[in-house]
Amino acid sequence: MLEHFGACIKHAKSQRQEAVQMNIFTALLCGLKGLTESKSSIGQEDVRQSATNLIINALISANPILRCAAGEALGRIAQVVGDSRFTAELAQTSFDRLKSARDVVTRTGHSLALGCLHRYVGGMGSSQHLNTSVSILLALAQDGSSPVVQVWSLYALSLIADSGGPMFRGYIEPALSLGLKLLLSVPQSNVDVHQCIGRVLAALITTIGPELQGNSTSICSIRSNFLCACAVMQAHSDPLV
């Protein structure tokens, strides 16, 4: 079936191709979600490979909804397979693409893929990739020439912060520093970027948790930065921000 899906996408005429892909990814995501809930295996290596090929190809689709679906599917398939080597291969594929790619489509698709990978595999299962993932996403979030890349990379960073738990503690200060810098430098007209900065900040606050009440020098500094960020965001014209 998966090979048949691949052939359908390949041979569909351009105006029908997106509709075909959308239906295929709806089926694939439902299937992967079902496998997760029933704690079932996806099958042998050939089945895994066919599904992975479909997903990786869709990560660079011109359609942003398909890129989102592919990112989710990548995280889900890593969760279903539950093999650290397989997860490492998926992560490395995205690292390699993000280090060399200069186009918006590849950068956004593979940014989200990293976020979803950490989200579905969990902090323990993806800890060895955490440093590289965060470093790449922090760099992409500073790409002022492309607000779209900033949005996708910040959203992916918020997913990682949400799923990382205590393992994300070492990245709180650089992520918070970036959030403040972007709040002060990105024009307010780029509302999507400001909303995603808010997501990152909310995830960071959750990561620190009740310790934000502490009186140590580092906690006081972090708390002060959060309050500054909140003040900037409350002055924003967009109600969601």
Side-chain angles (χ1 to χ4, degrees):
M1 279 180 67
L2 288 166
E3 286 180 0
H4 173 64
F5 286 162
C8 287
I9 292 168
K10 190 175 177 181
H11 299 304
K13 291 188 166 60
S14 56
Q15 64 267 34
R16 285 185 62 243
Q17 193 176 57
E18 277 189 7
V20 169
Q21 275 181 292
M22 209 74 81
N23 282 301
I24 286 169
F25 268 90
T26 303
L28 186 58
L29 276 169
C30 286
L32 290 171
K33 190 176 178 184
L35 288 173
T36 304
E37 288 168 355
S38 62
K39 294 182 169 55
S40 304
S41 163
I42 193 171
Q44 300 298 319
E45 176 64 30
D46 54 347
V47 181
R48 186 191 303 183
Q49 193 58 52
S50 294
T52 306
N53 291 342
L54 269 179
I55 293 165
I56 297 291
N57 289 336
L59 279 173
I60 52 171
S61 166
N63 185 322
I65 296 174
L66 276 169
R67 293 204 297 280
C68 285
E72 284 280 309
L74 191 86
R76 289 278 187 189
I77 197 170
Q79 184 184 33
V80 168
V81 172
D83 175 20
S84 58
R85 191 179 64 181
F86 178 67
T87 301
E89 287 171 3
L90 294 177
Q92 193 59 51
T93 298
S94 289
F95 293 156
D96 293 342
R97 300 282 175 88
L98 287 168
K99 284 173 182 172
S100 61
R102 292 291 170 266
D103 62 295
V104 170
V105 167
T106 303
R107 287 178 143 202
T108 53
H110 283 279
S111 291
L112 182 64
L114 289 179
C116 291
L117 207 56
H118 286 269
R119 176 188 180 190
Y120 286 112
V121 175
M124 293 297 287
S126 56
S127 58
Q128 67 269 40
H129 317 298
L130 189 59
N131 188 51
T132 310
S133 297
V134 173
S135 301
I136 289 174
L137 293 174
L138 286 173
L140 289 172
Q142 296 178 68
D143 181 6
S145 64
S146 177
V148 177
V149 170
Q150 287 181 299
V151 167
W152 287 61
S153 53
L154 285 166
Y155 180 75
L157 189 63
S158 72
L159 293 179
I160 295 176
D162 264 335
S163 64
M167 291 183 178
F168 199 79
R169 291 298 296 272
Y171 305 98
I172 286 170
E173 290 190 21
L176 176 53
S177 174
L178 173 73
L180 266 174
K181 179 182 169 186
L182 293 178
L183 281 175
L184 296 170
S185 61
V186 173
Q188 287 206 354
S189 55
N190 292 341
V191 175
D192 288 350
V193 177
H194 283 262
Q195 287 179 5
C196 283
I197 296 167
R199 280 180 175 274
V200 172
L201 293 174
L204 295 179
I205 290 169
T206 304
T207 300
I208 300 175
E211 287 180 41
L212 262 180
Q213 298 174 78
N215 291 316
S216 68
T217 307
S218 62
I219 285 293
C220 286
S221 171
I222 288 171
R223 187 168 58 232
S224 173
N225 285 338
F226 276 131
L227 289 168
C228 288
C230 289
V232 174
M233 290 172 69
Q234 283 170 343
H236 198 286
S237 57
D238 179 72
L240 280 179
V241 173

